[in-house]
């Protein structure tokens, strides 16, 4: 009965909730760009103020990078820690946006209403589903159930450099019975709880050769070209079957558990639809693996960016003095990011010819994580989700990385329930990011049901 009142309150409050989300989305809190540090401070301050309005004792906590926001409420009963991130990816390429990325708009689309802005789905819209569920609960009951801590990070999209020290220094304050994380997708139209996440290793290679850019007629054929060296190195990272050639790379990659394979088969993943939506048709991972294995349980090595030579209008006959690339490796099982970094660098160094030099920049390293789905909260949350969505919630893998889930296990000894309401067509990290208004609405309702089931 009282849950019904909270759900009714959420329904009635949808428009003001969207207005509050718009206010947060209007702040360009891009963590990777120091020029936006002030915006990150502003987003943190807005969230702390909002948490206070819902009855939390909340503060903005400085770190050497972007600040954290922590809020607490309640003194007895089960304890929950909710995690989200208020930072966003850079919006570029700006020219591909149909409306300005930090001027959120509600739009009618053939698939329903959406809210469009950078961060709409990743992760501001998602984190607000939980805050709004708390707001409605408080409005109906005058207080929140159990003990709830809300922990919001501002560096997730830039490798979380301050996260581990912060968790270690504040372990007693943050530890709870279970963590809740809203930063993932549904499985198509089906609500989902995540069972495993891939890890991530980020590397940048910079290869230099001649002391300046050269005329490609005067010097071409005689001088070493760093762009040729770079492309050769990059091409050597995969073999013909799509396997990654870095020595020792597959150490710690477990075979797919047959039970898990059966469960994934039962999900009926529509690989042609998934690829078709982005203009593709052929799975491009290692031969012999299924599409779900390629995105959930197999490691990857991908080129995320390359800079070299003349890329402006027209044409220029030049041998570039420098060539660089940014790469990411998605990791699974027990793969050790630090060992892989060393092996990768040694493999690259071995291919650098006379007259060229290579430099590496480190862009973060976090291992894969796997949830302990036998913890009782998983079944409780699954039932609560199934009630809201009128279909059984699925257990899924995720190809993306949310390093905090692993750190909650290793540093705080806590399992995470990763439940998100994103869709694969939300275009996170891309131009024209959006969040479905129905996801926002049903996401809030889902959290109210989960709070009712877990914290009461
Ligand atoms: N929310 C995403 C991860 C995600 C995306 C999970 C889609 C499920 C579905 C997260 O914010 C993210 O993008 N993480 C980065 C890692 C970070 C260290 C840069 C990623 O996966 O690239
Ligand atoms: Zn995210």
């Amino acid at each position: 009965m009282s849950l019904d009142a909270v759900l009714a309150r959420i329904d009635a409050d949808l428009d003001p909730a969207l207005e509050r989300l718009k206010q947060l989305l209007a702040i360009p809190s891009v963590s990777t760009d120091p020029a936006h540090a002030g915006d990150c401070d502003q987003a943190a301050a807005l969230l702390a103020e909002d948490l206070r309005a819902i009855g939390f004792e909340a503060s903005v906590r400085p770190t050497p990078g972007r600040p954290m926001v922590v809020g607490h409420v309640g003194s007895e009963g089960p304890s929950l820690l909710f995690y989200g991130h208020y930072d966003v990816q850079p919006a570029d390429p700006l020219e591909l946006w149909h409306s300005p990325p930090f001027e959120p708009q509600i739009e009618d689309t053939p698939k329903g209403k959406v809210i469009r802005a950078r961060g709409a789905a990743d992760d501001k819209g998602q984190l607000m589903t939980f805050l709004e569920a708390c707001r409605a609960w408080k409005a109906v009951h005058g207080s929140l159930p159990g003990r709830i801590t809300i922990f919001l990070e501002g560096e997730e999209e830039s490798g979380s450099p301050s996260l581990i020290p912060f968790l270690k220094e504040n372990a007693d304050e943050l530890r709870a019975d279970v963590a809740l994380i809203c930063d993932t997708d549904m499985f198509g139209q089906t609500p989902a709880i995540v069972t495993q996440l891939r890890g991530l290793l980020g590397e940048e290679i910079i290869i230099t050769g001649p002391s300046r850019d050269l005329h490609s007629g005067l010097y071409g054929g005689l001088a070493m070209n760093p762009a040729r060296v770079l492309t050769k190195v990059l091409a050597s990272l995969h073999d013909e079957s799509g396997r990654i050639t870095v020595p020792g790379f597959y150490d710690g990659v477990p075979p797919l558990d047959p039970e898990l394979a059966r469960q994934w088969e039962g999900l009926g993943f529509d690989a042609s639809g998934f690829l078709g939506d982005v203009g593709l048709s052929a799975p491009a991972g290692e031969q012999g693996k299924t599409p779900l294995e390629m995105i959930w349980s197999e490691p990857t090595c991908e080129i995320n960016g390359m800079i070299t030579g003349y890329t402006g209008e027209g044409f220029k006959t030049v041998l570039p003095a420098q060539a660089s690339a940014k790469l990411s490796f998605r990791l699974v099982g027990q793969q050790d990011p630090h060992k892989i970094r060393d092996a990768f660098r040694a493999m690259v160094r071995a291919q650098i010819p006379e007259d060229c030099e290579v430099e590496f920049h480190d862009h973060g390293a976090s291992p894969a994580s796997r949830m302990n789905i036998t913890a009782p909260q998983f079944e409780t949350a699954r039932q609560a989700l199934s009630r809201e969505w009128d279909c059984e919630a699925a257990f899924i893998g995720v190809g993306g990385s949310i390093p905090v889930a692993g750190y909650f296990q290793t540093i705080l000894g806590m399992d995470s329930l990763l439940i998100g309401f994103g869709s694969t067509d939300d275009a996170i990290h891309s131009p024209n990011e959006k969040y479905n208004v129905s996801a926002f609405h049903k996401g809030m309702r889902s959290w109210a049901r989960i709070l009712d089931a877990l914290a009461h």
Side-chain angles (χ1 to χ4, degrees):
M1 191 57 213
S2 57
L3 173 63
D4 287 343
V6 176
L7 296 175
R9 174 78 192 197
I10 288 172
D11 296 347
D13 213 22
L14 178 59
D15 285 339
L18 283 166
E19 284 309 311
R20 286 185 285 267
L21 173 56
K22 277 188 182 170
Q23 231 189 319
L24 182 62
L25 288 169
I27 306 171
S29 46
V30 178
S31 59
T32 197
D33 184 351
H36 287 289
D39 296 312
C40 291
D41 290 345
Q42 205 195 326
L46 177 72
L47 284 161
E49 195 187 296
D50 199 23
L51 284 176
R52 281 180 217 117
I54 312 172
F56 284 79
E57 208 170 282
S59 53
V60 173
R61 310 274 283 266
T63 75
R66 309 286 85 84
M68 312 278 183
V69 178
V70 182
H72 298 288
V73 72
S75 55
E76 51 192 44
S79 58
L80 301 172
L81 173 73
F82 176 84
Y83 165 93
H85 63 92
Y86 68 78
D87 64 319
V88 299
Q89 287 275 334
D92 35 325
L94 284 179
E95 65 280 11
L96 296 183
W97 284 79
H98 305 312
S99 57
F102 298 106
E103 292 176 25
Q105 328 253 340
I106 309 281
E107 280 174 33
D108 276 310
T109 77
K111 290 188 189 164
K113 268 194 184 2
V114 304
I115 179 159
R116 196 175 302 280
R118 168 55 86 235
D122 190 11
D123 179 40
K124 290 171 173 173
Q126 300 245 61
L127 77 84
M128 286 305 289
T129 57
F130 189 81
L131 264 69
E132 293 296 345
C134 290
R135 193 189 317 276
W137 193 291
K138 167 94 181 188
V140 169
H141 295 284
S143 64
L144 284 156
R147 287 172 290 161
I148 303 177
T149 296
I150 293 190
F151 171 40
L152 306 172
E153 190 194 354
E155 298 183 325
E156 197 271 352
E157 300 290 8
S158 50
S160 302
S162 309
L163 183 61
I164 294 181
F166 191 83
L167 291 178
K168 287 187 173 160
E169 277 159 31
N170 300 285
D172 290 339
E173 180 185 347
L174 296 173
R175 190 175 293 110
D177 297 338
V178 72
L180 309 173
I181 301 180
C182 190
D183 195 19
T184 48
D185 286 349
M186 306 212 306
F187 188 75
Q189 308 296 313
T190 308
I193 302 179
V194 174
T195 62
Q196 57 185 62
L197 291 152
R198 290 197 285 197
L200 185 64
L201 169 64
E203 281 283 273
E204 183 170 352
I205 330 176
I206 303 164
I207 299 175
T208 48
S211 55
R212 58 177 169 82
D213 283 2
L214 303 173
H215 187 292
S216 69
L218 264 179
Y219 287 90
L222 172 66
M224 181 58 71
N225 179 348
R228 276 173 53 192
V229 177
L230 177 71
T231 50
K232 189 166 170 237
V233 165
L234 296 178
S236 75
L237 291 167
H238 295 85
D239 71 13
E240 283 303 304
S241 70
R243 263 178 98 76
I244 294 144
T245 54
V246 176
F249 184 76
Y250 287 91
D251 293 355
V253 177
L256 184 62
D257 173 52
E259 177 54 36
L260 197 59
R262 256 195 306 281
Q263 193 231 315
W264 286 359
E265 235 173 76
L267 292 173
F269 180 58
D270 172 18
S272 9
F274 187 76
L275 285 174
D277 281 348
V278 293
L280 299 174
S281 59
E286 188 188 333
Q287 281 167 21
K289 305 289 178 189
T290 66
L292 274 190
E293 286 175 82
M294 289 178 193
I295 51 173
W296 288 355
S297 61
E298 282 295 306
T300 70
C301 162
E302 291 292 354
I303 301 161
N304 300 126
M306 284 163 74
I307 310 172
T308 189
Y310 182 69
T311 56
E313 282 299 308
F315 194 69
K316 184 178 178 188
T317 50
V318 68
L319 298 184
Q322 180 171 312
S324 66
K326 295 178 199 266
L327 285 100
S328 61
F329 296 85
R330 296 283 169 178
L331 308 177
V332 303
Q334 307 303 315
Q335 276 181 303
D336 178 339
H338 301 285
K339 274 197 187 146
I340 291 174
R341 167 173 286 143
D342 291 347
F344 165 72
R345 290 184 177 187
M347 176 177 172
V348 175
R349 280 199 187 95
Q351 297 183 70
I352 302 299
E354 209 174 329
D355 281 345
C356 281
E357 281 182 13
V358 63
E359 196 184 295
F360 297 94
H361 291 185
D362 164 349
H363 288 282
S366 60
S369 52
R370 179 172 282 203
M371 306 307 131
N372 168 27
I373 61 169
T374 57
Q377 292 95 344
F378 279 76
E379 191 47 39
T380 309
R382 177 155 53 174
Q383 287 172 13
L385 270 179
S386 306
R387 282 195 290 277
E388 173 60 26
W389 294 82
D390 248 349
C391 67
E392 189 164 337
F395 281 139
I396 62 166
V398 158
S401 306
I402 305 180
V404 74
Y407 303 144
F408 283 163
Q409 282 175 333
T410 53
I411 301 173
L412 302 184
M414 188 169 63
D415 282 309
S416 295
L417 277 166
L418 290 126
I419 299 172
F421 308 98
S423 299
T424 45
D425 67 356
D426 284 343
I428 62 171
H429 299 202
S430 300
N432 302 308
E433 178 176 352
K434 57 90 176 160
Y435 195 40
N436 294 334
V437 170
S438 62
F440 183 58
H441 184 189
K442 283 180 83 66
M444 299 189 263
R445 290 175 54 98
S446 300
W447 286 122
R449 289 184 189 274
I450 293 169
L451 277 180
D452 185 56
L454 285 183
H456 242 179

